[in-house]
Amino acid sequence: MQVLKFGGTSVGSAKAIEQVCNILKQYKPAGKYAIVVSALGGVTDKLIRCGQLAEQGNEDYKSILQEIEARHLNTIRELFPITAQSGQISQLKKKLNTLENLCDGIFQVAELSPRTLDKIMSYGELMSCVIVAEKLKQQGFSATCKDSRELIVTDNHFGHATVNFVATNHHITQFFAQSPADYVVLPGFVAATPDGETTTLGRGGSDYTAAIVAAAVNATVLDIWTDVSGMMTADPRMVSQAIPISHISYVEAMELSHFGAKVIYPPTIQPVMSKRIPIWIKNTFAPEDHGTLIQDSADRSFPVTGISGIPNIALLTLEGSGMVGIPGFSKRLFESLLRERINVILITQSSSEHSITVGIHETDMLKAKTAVDSEFAQEISEKRIEPLLVEKDLCIVAVVGDKMKNHHGTSGKLFGTLGRNGVNVRAIAQGSTEKNISAVINKADIKKALNVMHETFFETPLKQVNLFIAGAGNVGSKLLEQLEQQQYYLQHELGLQIRVTGLANSRHTLISETGITLREWREQLEQAKHISTADFVQQIKNLNLRNSVFVDNTASSDIAAVYHEFLQHGISVVTCNKIACSSDYAYYKQLKDLARKYNASFLFETNVGAGLPVINTLNDLIRSGDKVHSIEAVLSGSLNFVFNHFLNGTSFREVVKAAQDEGYTEPDPRIDLSGKDVMRKILILARESGAAIEMDEITNYSFLPAECLDAPSVPAFYEELDVHAAHFQGLREAAAAEGKRLKFVARYEDGKASVGLQSVAPDHPFFKLEGKDNIVLYTTSRYKDQPLIVKGAGAGADVTASGIFADIIRSARL
């Protein structure tokens, strides 16, 4: 004998019921079939709502009853010819009249007992069962309908009754031995007490009904038809990269269903597992898909079979020095919860016996608090233990797999993954069988946690990285261009799927959780509204996406001032904006400390030397134990460009304007020419070498006359350059007379830093520095005879963008 169960969506419409008939036609005649059906999709919720409204004295329950009636009538009219409808409609009307009388009675007495609610909820399955059975008859099947309440016997725990298997198995085997029909359609979810009072088996109980029948008749297989193609490695609504599980063991399926996998109702597995009856989960709307076969064991390459989560969890912690070494506290705690019928989902206890923590559903936390504090009232009054501590807004995430016990490092991978993504673990539990590792986390982190766990344990081909980019000007647009160009390489060579999830400039802010199309980012950004920096930051935090990186391509002090908010939430920061690292030392140090504390990257290679490996080289020297004695550098590609092109016959004004037009200077060239930008860069290098130095400690030997620096506008500044043309010409000629060249040099030595214009001789490494190149000389304990030199292009949108790109990849691969 074979047992099949069809869920609410599988019988949710006339078209779906016809599909059920088509599926049954594919089965080869093999004795009898038991067909268990749920209520039409969504009807049970409506029935519950009817009872609740009636209890509240709200007559809206009548309109919901009308909706239920119309739904079933329409299904009958679509399924059957007119000549065959009258009998169906008559049976339906009779049940609906009884249901309406029941609700009217609730309305009159303003009371809805669990017993009455069970009776109301039963009507969904009772009505669908008759419709499906009649449709099978019309299709030529030898079919009949049998009320499960006449077969399954339970206690009177209404809402979630316990099955009396001795009586139930006797009724089921006796009925099927005598039934002449080949196909018996039974309503799922419903049962009855020995006195005939209607009970239910809990939401999802139709699966359980099918398992009870399958175990009683020793079925060859239990097929559960639903609207998904079997169990998945994670909830596909939360994890888009979830994949089907083709084979899974009974224990693994029980664990996953307990921890939130909705494909199968947890109690379903136990009756068939004891008889070794396989369960096959199939998709009614894609019957050709393999689905998931649940049996004794399953061969897989992954140690983890699946991941899951339970939202809306509360943690209860009983603690106190009076618990240490005293037996019975755990027993009393669990007994007090048992008396209130509170289900315990997770248990963990400290080895010192000082505390015990349990996880329960949030809806039970107030009831639990009252019960436990009452049980331990004397100990609490004597200060031997503390009042029960209750924490809410939590969830449980779990990894499940039979093979985890033979695979080293699973726990380490789990907690390392969560930690790197800023997910704080509040409690953990792992059974001695090592088939389940559970962690309690903030419920706001559940989606991010499930996604990063799935990436870690199922070796998804692509690690998804979510970028939030501030600044879409010269550097930002080049970065976006490079990201688009390198998508294929990133995915196929580095295994990275880098998505731009947020993009903002001074006028518009665009956020798309599914990713911004890089070829159309300009059009999409122009259509977006502007929001404040604070709102942009908050939206990024609220999205709480895994592997998030904030990229700052601006020179904004407002944006630099919010880096700490990202790092505190485990969001990495990549920036070419020098303001944060050259601000007060305390803020610079705070950002570095936050990055370490919250396992986030804080990368700013492009603060000095654009795309050159200036900071990374310095960091490598320091980390490997070297000591920096001095740093000498030309750190402004803009100034190097200016002085390399400031030749005889060319005015200083013309050279500066050319540099600005080429994009080598800021919109206001004074930021570069004043030396302030170079001061920031040498300050950052000094700090990265270990010095706690502030900006006002750096000496600036400025070559610009005060009138140029103090000009009221950029046009006025250019006028002042003309006025002081002789001054600049004199600087050039004095250097040329000695056979030297002008370079704007930054220096750090013995804890002191300075910047200024210098004349360098032909034998100096700076003399032949051409174009917009930068050069840095590191003199260290290891490089004391010949300094370590880093040299190359130090300005330009392309190289700066490439440096940011490299930092993004570096942060993604940490």
mmCIF file of all heavy atoms in Angstrom, residues 420-422 448 452 455 463-469 499 501-502 539-551 566-567 569-574 598-602 808 811-812:
data_model
loop_
_atom_site.group_PDB
_atom_site.id
_atom_site.type_symbol
_atom_site.label_atom_id
_atom_site.label_comp_id
_atom_site.label_asym_id
_atom_site.label_seq_id
_atom_site.Cartn_x
_atom_site.Cartn_y
_atom_site.Cartn_z
ATOM 1 N N ARG A 420 33.023 37.190 11.626
ATOM 2 C CA ARG A 420 33.551 38.058 10.577
ATOM 3 C C ARG A 420 32.474 38.956 9.981
ATOM 4 O O ARG A 420 32.778 39.982 9.386
ATOM 5 C CB ARG A 420 34.193 37.213 9.472
ATOM 6 C CG ARG A 420 35.555 36.663 9.835
ATOM 7 C CD ARG A 420 36.248 36.080 8.620
ATOM 8 N NE ARG A 420 35.509 34.972 8.046
ATOM 9 C CZ ARG A 420 35.632 33.712 8.442
ATOM 10 N NH1 ARG A 420 36.436 33.396 9.443
ATOM 11 N NH2 ARG A 420 34.930 32.756 7.834
ATOM 12 N N ASN A 421 31.231 38.578 10.125
ATOM 13 C CA ASN A 421 30.139 39.381 9.591
ATOM 14 C C ASN A 421 29.391 40.149 10.671
ATOM 15 O O ASN A 421 28.270 40.602 10.453
ATOM 16 C CB ASN A 421 29.173 38.486 8.811
ATOM 17 C CG ASN A 421 29.681 38.178 7.428
ATOM 18 O OD1 ASN A 421 29.449 38.929 6.482
ATOM 19 N ND2 ASN A 421 30.416 37.078 7.291
ATOM 20 N N GLY A 422 30.012 40.296 11.828
ATOM 21 C CA GLY A 422 29.452 41.137 12.879
ATOM 22 C C GLY A 422 28.196 40.579 13.514
ATOM 23 O O GLY A 422 27.371 41.337 14.033
ATOM 24 N N LYS A 448 21.206 37.658 7.231
ATOM 25 C CA LYS A 448 22.639 37.731 6.955
ATOM 26 C C LYS A 448 23.341 36.464 7.444
ATOM 27 O O LYS A 448 24.184 35.895 6.748
ATOM 28 C CB LYS A 448 23.243 38.966 7.611
ATOM 29 C CG LYS A 448 24.744 39.092 7.423
ATOM 30 C CD LYS A 448 25.270 40.468 7.775
ATOM 31 C CE LYS A 448 25.204 40.768 9.233
ATOM 32 N NZ LYS A 448 25.890 42.030 9.580
ATOM 33 N N VAL A 452 25.565 33.829 5.061
ATOM 34 C CA VAL A 452 27.003 33.601 5.197
ATOM 35 C C VAL A 452 27.280 32.158 5.621
ATOM 36 O O VAL A 452 28.291 31.566 5.221
ATOM 37 C CB VAL A 452 27.660 34.607 6.169
ATOM 38 C CG1 VAL A 452 27.528 36.020 5.637
ATOM 39 C CG2 VAL A 452 27.086 34.508 7.573
ATOM 40 N N GLU A 455 27.077 30.129 2.442
ATOM 41 C CA GLU A 455 28.301 30.299 1.639
ATOM 42 C C GLU A 455 29.435 29.446 2.194
ATOM 43 O O GLU A 455 30.196 28.821 1.453
ATOM 44 C CB GLU A 455 28.727 31.768 1.638
ATOM 45 C CG GLU A 455 27.926 32.647 0.722
ATOM 46 C CD GLU A 455 28.422 34.088 0.736
ATOM 47 O OE1 GLU A 455 29.177 34.466 1.659
ATOM 48 O OE2 GLU A 455 28.051 34.829 -0.173
ATOM 49 N N LYS A 463 31.148 34.079 -3.743
ATOM 50 C CA LYS A 463 30.947 34.803 -2.490
ATOM 51 C C LYS A 463 30.384 36.171 -2.845
ATOM 52 O O LYS A 463 31.003 36.940 -3.572
ATOM 53 C CB LYS A 463 32.267 34.959 -1.740
ATOM 54 C CG LYS A 463 32.136 35.759 -0.452
ATOM 55 C CD LYS A 463 33.475 35.893 0.253
ATOM 56 C CE LYS A 463 33.341 36.696 1.537
ATOM 57 N NZ LYS A 463 34.627 36.836 2.253
ATOM 58 N N GLN A 464 29.211 36.465 -2.321
ATOM 59 C CA GLN A 464 28.558 37.723 -2.662
ATOM 60 C C GLN A 464 29.077 38.853 -1.772
ATOM 61 O O GLN A 464 29.127 38.718 -0.557
ATOM 62 C CB GLN A 464 27.044 37.593 -2.487
ATOM 63 C CG GLN A 464 26.260 38.792 -2.978
ATOM 64 C CD GLN A 464 24.775 38.603 -2.739
ATOM 65 O OE1 GLN A 464 24.230 39.135 -1.786
ATOM 66 N NE2 GLN A 464 24.115 37.855 -3.603
ATOM 67 N N VAL A 465 29.483 39.943 -2.394
ATOM 68 C CA VAL A 465 29.956 41.131 -1.682
ATOM 69 C C VAL A 465 29.053 42.298 -2.064
ATOM 70 O O VAL A 465 28.791 42.525 -3.254
ATOM 71 C CB VAL A 465 31.422 41.459 -2.040
ATOM 72 C CG1 VAL A 465 31.886 42.711 -1.303
ATOM 73 C CG2 VAL A 465 32.327 40.278 -1.716
ATOM 74 N N ASN A 466 28.547 43.007 -1.079
ATOM 75 C CA ASN A 466 27.620 44.114 -1.314
ATOM 76 C C ASN A 466 28.314 45.441 -1.068
ATOM 77 O O ASN A 466 28.760 45.717 0.046
ATOM 78 C CB ASN A 466 26.400 43.978 -0.399
ATOM 79 C CG ASN A 466 25.548 42.779 -0.764
ATOM 80 O OD1 ASN A 466 24.823 42.804 -1.732
ATOM 81 N ND2 ASN A 466 25.681 41.699 0.006
ATOM 82 N N LEU A 467 28.414 46.265 -2.125
ATOM 83 C CA LEU A 467 29.089 47.558 -2.037
ATOM 84 C C LEU A 467 28.073 48.682 -1.890
ATOM 85 O O LEU A 467 27.059 48.724 -2.594
ATOM 86 C CB LEU A 467 29.924 47.830 -3.288
ATOM 87 C CG LEU A 467 31.049 46.863 -3.645
ATOM 88 C CD1 LEU A 467 31.825 47.412 -4.831
ATOM 89 C CD2 LEU A 467 31.977 46.635 -2.465
ATOM 90 N N PHE A 468 28.377 49.607 -0.996
ATOM 91 C CA PHE A 468 27.628 50.853 -0.877
ATOM 92 C C PHE A 468 28.625 51.977 -1.148
ATOM 93 O O PHE A 468 29.569 52.177 -0.380
ATOM 94 C CB PHE A 468 27.025 50.988 0.523
ATOM 95 C CG PHE A 468 26.012 49.919 0.829
ATOM 96 C CD1 PHE A 468 26.408 48.721 1.410
ATOM 97 C CD2 PHE A 468 24.674 50.103 0.523
ATOM 98 C CE1 PHE A 468 25.485 47.726 1.688
ATOM 99 C CE2 PHE A 468 23.741 49.116 0.794
ATOM 100 C CZ PHE A 468 24.146 47.924 1.377
ATOM 101 N N ILE A 469 28.427 52.669 -2.268
ATOM 102 C CA ILE A 469 29.427 53.608 -2.762
ATOM 103 C C ILE A 469 28.943 55.036 -2.598
ATOM 104 O O ILE A 469 27.844 55.386 -3.057
ATOM 105 C CB ILE A 469 29.753 53.338 -4.241
ATOM 106 C CG1 ILE A 469 30.316 51.917 -4.398
ATOM 107 C CG2 ILE A 469 30.719 54.365 -4.792
ATOM 108 C CD1 ILE A 469 30.580 51.513 -5.840
ATOM 109 N N ARG A 499 28.444 43.081 -5.959
ATOM 110 C CA ARG A 499 27.234 43.819 -6.351
ATOM 111 C C ARG A 499 27.301 45.232 -5.775
ATOM 112 O O ARG A 499 27.676 45.425 -4.621
ATOM 113 C CB ARG A 499 25.969 43.154 -5.803
ATOM 114 C CG ARG A 499 25.757 41.734 -6.222
ATOM 115 C CD ARG A 499 24.356 41.280 -5.850
ATOM 116 N NE ARG A 499 23.991 41.625 -4.487
ATOM 117 C CZ ARG A 499 22.781 41.447 -3.968
ATOM 118 N NH1 ARG A 499 21.811 40.959 -4.712
ATOM 119 N NH2 ARG A 499 22.523 41.753 -2.719
ATOM 120 N N THR A 501 25.159 47.713 -4.317
ATOM 121 C CA THR A 501 23.821 47.701 -3.713
ATOM 122 C C THR A 501 23.338 49.104 -3.370
ATOM 123 O O THR A 501 22.135 49.349 -3.291
ATOM 124 C CB THR A 501 23.829 46.811 -2.454
ATOM 125 O OG1 THR A 501 24.492 45.585 -2.755
ATOM 126 C CG2 THR A 501 22.421 46.503 -1.979
ATOM 127 N N GLY A 502 24.281 50.018 -3.168
ATOM 128 C CA GLY A 502 23.923 51.402 -2.878
ATOM 129 C C GLY A 502 24.879 52.346 -3.579
ATOM 130 O O GLY A 502 26.072 52.047 -3.735
ATOM 131 N N GLN A 539 19.969 53.271 6.439
ATOM 132 C CA GLN A 539 19.423 52.276 5.503
ATOM 133 C C GLN A 539 20.422 51.147 5.257
ATOM 134 O O GLN A 539 20.035 49.979 5.145
ATOM 135 C CB GLN A 539 19.037 52.941 4.183
ATOM 136 C CG GLN A 539 17.769 53.783 4.270
ATOM 137 C CD GLN A 539 17.194 54.093 2.900
ATOM 138 O OE1 GLN A 539 17.286 53.305 1.970
ATOM 139 N NE2 GLN A 539 16.585 55.253 2.777
ATOM 140 N N ILE A 540 21.684 51.481 5.184
ATOM 141 C CA ILE A 540 22.708 50.452 4.995
ATOM 142 C C ILE A 540 22.716 49.502 6.192
ATOM 143 O O ILE A 540 22.768 48.275 6.040
ATOM 144 C CB ILE A 540 24.098 51.093 4.794
ATOM 145 C CG1 ILE A 540 24.132 51.885 3.480
ATOM 146 C CG2 ILE A 540 25.196 50.029 4.809
ATOM 147 C CD1 ILE A 540 25.374 52.729 3.296
ATOM 148 N N LYS A 541 22.648 50.063 7.389
ATOM 149 C CA LYS A 541 22.636 49.239 8.596
ATOM 150 C C LYS A 541 21.367 48.395 8.681
ATOM 151 O O LYS A 541 21.403 47.232 9.078
ATOM 152 C CB LYS A 541 22.793 50.115 9.835
ATOM 153 C CG LYS A 541 24.175 50.768 9.946
ATOM 154 C CD LYS A 541 24.424 51.393 11.298
ATOM 155 C CE LYS A 541 23.534 52.568 11.573
ATOM 156 N NZ LYS A 541 23.886 53.272 12.828
ATOM 157 N N ASN A 542 20.241 48.991 8.292
ATOM 158 C CA ASN A 542 18.971 48.259 8.357
ATOM 159 C C ASN A 542 18.936 47.080 7.382
ATOM 160 O O ASN A 542 18.380 46.029 7.688
ATOM 161 C CB ASN A 542 17.795 49.194 8.073
ATOM 162 C CG ASN A 542 17.543 50.182 9.195
ATOM 163 O OD1 ASN A 542 18.033 50.014 10.317
ATOM 164 N ND2 ASN A 542 16.796 51.227 8.910
ATOM 165 N N LEU A 543 19.534 47.261 6.189
ATOM 166 C CA LEU A 543 19.583 46.165 5.226
ATOM 167 C C LEU A 543 20.369 44.977 5.775
ATOM 168 O O LEU A 543 20.033 43.824 5.540
ATOM 169 C CB LEU A 543 20.212 46.630 3.910
ATOM 170 C CG LEU A 543 19.306 47.409 2.961
ATOM 171 C CD1 LEU A 543 20.093 47.930 1.779
ATOM 172 C CD2 LEU A 543 18.158 46.536 2.469
ATOM 173 N N ASN A 544 21.444 45.291 6.512
ATOM 174 C CA ASN A 544 22.189 44.251 7.231
ATOM 175 C C ASN A 544 22.605 43.106 6.307
ATOM 176 O O ASN A 544 22.459 41.928 6.637
ATOM 177 C CB ASN A 544 21.328 43.713 8.384
ATOM 178 C CG ASN A 544 22.160 43.063 9.477
ATOM 179 O OD1 ASN A 544 23.344 43.346 9.615
ATOM 180 N ND2 ASN A 544 21.545 42.188 10.247
ATOM 181 N N LEU A 545 23.128 43.465 5.130
ATOM 182 C CA LEU A 545 23.519 42.449 4.154
ATOM 183 C C LEU A 545 24.883 41.862 4.487
ATOM 184 O O LEU A 545 25.743 42.536 5.063
ATOM 185 C CB LEU A 545 23.555 43.058 2.748
ATOM 186 C CG LEU A 545 22.228 43.609 2.228
ATOM 187 C CD1 LEU A 545 22.433 44.247 0.857
ATOM 188 C CD2 LEU A 545 21.176 42.520 2.147
ATOM 189 N N ARG A 546 25.075 40.622 4.104
ATOM 190 C CA ARG A 546 26.352 39.961 4.381
ATOM 191 C C ARG A 546 27.462 40.575 3.538
ATOM 192 O O ARG A 546 27.218 41.115 2.475
ATOM 193 C CB ARG A 546 26.242 38.474 4.111
ATOM 194 C CG ARG A 546 26.070 38.094 2.640
ATOM 195 C CD ARG A 546 25.702 36.629 2.558
ATOM 196 N NE ARG A 546 25.667 36.103 1.206
ATOM 197 C CZ ARG A 546 24.658 36.244 0.372
ATOM 198 N NH1 ARG A 546 23.598 36.957 0.738
ATOM 199 N NH2 ARG A 546 24.698 35.694 -0.827
ATOM 200 N N ASN A 547 28.688 40.461 4.056
ATOM 201 C CA ASN A 547 29.881 40.907 3.332
ATOM 202 C C ASN A 547 29.690 42.313 2.753
ATOM 203 O O ASN A 547 29.955 42.573 1.585
ATOM 204 C CB ASN A 547 30.218 39.924 2.201
ATOM 205 C CG ASN A 547 30.360 38.500 2.701
ATOM 206 O OD1 ASN A 547 30.930 38.260 3.758
ATOM 207 N ND2 ASN A 547 29.824 37.551 1.958
ATOM 208 N N SER A 548 29.221 43.224 3.602
ATOM 209 C CA SER A 548 28.977 44.596 3.159
ATOM 210 C C SER A 548 30.263 45.416 3.250
ATOM 211 O O SER A 548 31.039 45.292 4.201
ATOM 212 C CB SER A 548 27.895 45.255 4.012
ATOM 213 O OG SER A 548 26.639 44.682 3.759
ATOM 214 N N VAL A 549 30.457 46.274 2.245
ATOM 215 C CA VAL A 549 31.627 47.170 2.210
ATOM 216 C C VAL A 549 31.137 48.564 1.842
ATOM 217 O O VAL A 549 30.442 48.733 0.826
ATOM 218 C CB VAL A 549 32.675 46.696 1.177
ATOM 219 C CG1 VAL A 549 33.893 47.631 1.195
ATOM 220 C CG2 VAL A 549 33.100 45.255 1.448
ATOM 221 N N PHE A 550 31.494 49.549 2.660
ATOM 222 C CA PHE A 550 31.186 50.946 2.343
ATOM 223 C C PHE A 550 32.404 51.554 1.671
ATOM 224 O O PHE A 550 33.525 51.476 2.194
ATOM 225 C CB PHE A 550 30.837 51.730 3.602
ATOM 226 C CG PHE A 550 30.563 53.188 3.344
ATOM 227 C CD1 PHE A 550 29.387 53.597 2.737
ATOM 228 C CD2 PHE A 550 31.495 54.163 3.683
ATOM 229 C CE1 PHE A 550 29.131 54.929 2.486
ATOM 230 C CE2 PHE A 550 31.257 55.498 3.431
ATOM 231 C CZ PHE A 550 30.065 55.883 2.831
ATOM 232 N N VAL A 551 32.199 52.163 0.497
ATOM 233 C CA VAL A 551 33.292 52.733 -0.294
ATOM 234 C C VAL A 551 33.088 54.238 -0.385
ATOM 235 O O VAL A 551 32.061 54.707 -0.881
ATOM 236 C CB VAL A 551 33.338 52.118 -1.707
ATOM 237 C CG1 VAL A 551 34.499 52.706 -2.501
ATOM 238 C CG2 VAL A 551 33.442 50.606 -1.627
ATOM 239 N N PHE A 566 29.721 52.316 10.591
ATOM 240 C CA PHE A 566 29.805 51.119 9.749
ATOM 241 C C PHE A 566 30.639 50.035 10.424
ATOM 242 O O PHE A 566 30.228 48.876 10.504
ATOM 243 C CB PHE A 566 30.410 51.469 8.392
ATOM 244 C CG PHE A 566 29.550 52.375 7.556
ATOM 245 C CD1 PHE A 566 30.002 53.626 7.170
ATOM 246 C CD2 PHE A 566 28.283 51.977 7.160
ATOM 247 C CE1 PHE A 566 29.203 54.467 6.398
ATOM 248 C CE2 PHE A 566 27.485 52.800 6.388
ATOM 249 C CZ PHE A 566 27.946 54.049 6.009
ATOM 250 N N LEU A 567 31.810 50.405 10.905
ATOM 251 C CA LEU A 567 32.705 49.422 11.508
ATOM 252 C C LEU A 567 32.068 48.758 12.716
ATOM 253 O O LEU A 567 32.242 47.552 12.943
ATOM 254 C CB LEU A 567 34.026 50.094 11.892
ATOM 255 C CG LEU A 567 34.854 50.634 10.711
ATOM 256 C CD1 LEU A 567 36.028 51.447 11.212
ATOM 257 C CD2 LEU A 567 35.328 49.499 9.810
ATOM 258 N N HIS A 569 29.111 47.943 13.043
ATOM 259 C CA HIS A 569 28.141 46.962 12.573
ATOM 260 C C HIS A 569 28.786 45.902 11.686
ATOM 261 O O HIS A 569 28.105 45.188 10.950
ATOM 262 C CB HIS A 569 27.015 47.672 11.808
ATOM 263 C CG HIS A 569 26.006 48.313 12.711
ATOM 264 N ND1 HIS A 569 26.251 49.491 13.374
ATOM 265 C CD2 HIS A 569 24.760 47.907 13.087
ATOM 266 C CE1 HIS A 569 25.186 49.803 14.104
ATOM 267 N NE2 HIS A 569 24.282 48.864 13.954
ATOM 268 N N GLY A 570 30.111 45.798 11.744
ATOM 269 C CA GLY A 570 30.799 44.778 10.978
ATOM 270 C C GLY A 570 30.855 45.061 9.489
ATOM 271 O O GLY A 570 31.087 44.152 8.692
ATOM 272 N N ILE A 571 30.617 46.315 9.099
ATOM 273 C CA ILE A 571 30.660 46.706 7.687
ATOM 274 C C ILE A 571 32.042 47.276 7.385
ATOM 275 O O ILE A 571 32.477 48.242 8.019
ATOM 276 C CB ILE A 571 29.571 47.748 7.368
ATOM 277 C CG1 ILE A 571 28.180 47.153 7.628
ATOM 278 C CG2 ILE A 571 29.684 48.231 5.924
ATOM 279 C CD1 ILE A 571 27.053 48.161 7.547
ATOM 280 N N SER A 572 32.741 46.687 6.433
ATOM 281 C CA SER A 572 34.085 47.148 6.099
ATOM 282 C C SER A 572 34.025 48.521 5.432
ATOM 283 O O SER A 572 33.022 48.896 4.811
ATOM 284 C CB SER A 572 34.770 46.159 5.162
ATOM 285 O OG SER A 572 34.976 44.927 5.816
ATOM 286 N N VAL A 573 35.096 49.276 5.568
ATOM 287 C CA VAL A 573 35.205 50.609 4.974
ATOM 288 C C VAL A 573 36.447 50.656 4.093
ATOM 289 O O VAL A 573 37.552 50.322 4.535
ATOM 290 C CB VAL A 573 35.286 51.705 6.049
ATOM 291 C CG1 VAL A 573 35.539 53.073 5.405
ATOM 292 C CG2 VAL A 573 34.009 51.744 6.881
ATOM 293 N N VAL A 574 36.254 51.052 2.836
ATOM 294 C CA VAL A 574 37.344 51.288 1.886
ATOM 295 C C VAL A 574 37.227 52.742 1.437
ATOM 296 O O VAL A 574 36.155 53.169 1.011
ATOM 297 C CB VAL A 574 37.256 50.343 0.676
ATOM 298 C CG1 VAL A 574 38.232 50.764 -0.405
ATOM 299 C CG2 VAL A 574 37.503 48.904 1.109
ATOM 300 N N TYR A 598 35.494 44.393 15.563
ATOM 301 C CA TYR A 598 34.295 43.869 14.893
ATOM 302 C C TYR A 598 34.618 43.096 13.607
ATOM 303 O O TYR A 598 33.737 42.861 12.792
ATOM 304 C CB TYR A 598 33.324 45.011 14.602
ATOM 305 C CG TYR A 598 32.742 45.598 15.863
ATOM 306 C CD1 TYR A 598 33.229 46.799 16.385
ATOM 307 C CD2 TYR A 598 31.730 44.946 16.550
ATOM 308 C CE1 TYR A 598 32.707 47.333 17.554
ATOM 309 C CE2 TYR A 598 31.200 45.472 17.716
ATOM 310 C CZ TYR A 598 31.698 46.669 18.219
ATOM 311 O OH TYR A 598 31.176 47.191 19.380
ATOM 312 N N ASN A 599 35.887 42.690 13.462
ATOM 313 C CA ASN A 599 36.301 41.854 12.323
ATOM 314 C C ASN A 599 35.934 42.468 10.976
ATOM 315 O O ASN A 599 35.490 41.782 10.053
ATOM 316 C CB ASN A 599 35.683 40.458 12.439
ATOM 317 C CG ASN A 599 36.157 39.707 13.658
ATOM 318 O OD1 ASN A 599 37.337 39.455 13.820
ATOM 319 N ND2 ASN A 599 35.225 39.372 14.540
ATOM 320 N N ALA A 600 36.054 43.768 10.888
ATOM 321 C CA ALA A 600 35.779 44.474 9.636
ATOM 322 C C ALA A 600 37.086 45.031 9.088
ATOM 323 O O ALA A 600 38.042 45.264 9.828
ATOM 324 C CB ALA A 600 34.774 45.603 9.861
ATOM 325 N N SER A 601 37.146 45.239 7.790
ATOM 326 C CA SER A 601 38.328 45.833 7.168
ATOM 327 C C SER A 601 38.194 47.347 7.144
ATOM 328 O O SER A 601 37.125 47.883 6.871
ATOM 329 C CB SER A 601 38.482 45.327 5.726
ATOM 330 O OG SER A 601 38.663 43.938 5.703
ATOM 331 N N PHE A 602 39.293 48.037 7.455
ATOM 332 C CA PHE A 602 39.371 49.485 7.282
ATOM 333 C C PHE A 602 40.592 49.736 6.423
ATOM 334 O O PHE A 602 41.731 49.711 6.890
ATOM 335 C CB PHE A 602 39.483 50.189 8.634
ATOM 336 C CG PHE A 602 39.635 51.686 8.535
ATOM 337 C CD1 PHE A 602 38.903 52.422 7.609
ATOM 338 C CD2 PHE A 602 40.520 52.366 9.365
ATOM 339 C CE1 PHE A 602 39.044 53.795 7.513
ATOM 340 C CE2 PHE A 602 40.657 53.738 9.285
ATOM 341 C CZ PHE A 602 39.931 54.454 8.354
ATOM 342 N N ILE A 808 38.900 46.748 -2.178
ATOM 343 C CA ILE A 808 37.604 46.047 -2.102
ATOM 344 C C ILE A 808 37.834 44.539 -2.176
ATOM 345 O O ILE A 808 37.283 43.771 -1.382
ATOM 346 C CB ILE A 808 36.668 46.511 -3.233
ATOM 347 C CG1 ILE A 808 36.222 47.963 -3.000
ATOM 348 C CG2 ILE A 808 35.449 45.599 -3.335
ATOM 349 C CD1 ILE A 808 35.497 48.580 -4.188
ATOM 350 N N SER A 811 39.402 43.285 1.051
ATOM 351 C CA SER A 811 38.444 43.168 2.153
ATOM 352 C C SER A 811 37.527 41.959 1.958
ATOM 353 O O SER A 811 37.153 41.292 2.922
ATOM 354 C CB SER A 811 37.597 44.442 2.256
ATOM 355 O OG SER A 811 36.671 44.539 1.190
ATOM 356 N N ALA A 812 37.190 41.659 0.698
ATOM 357 C CA ALA A 812 36.281 40.539 0.417
ATOM 358 C C ALA A 812 36.948 39.194 0.667
ATOM 359 O O ALA A 812 36.269 38.208 0.967
ATOM 360 C CB ALA A 812 35.811 40.615 -1.030
#
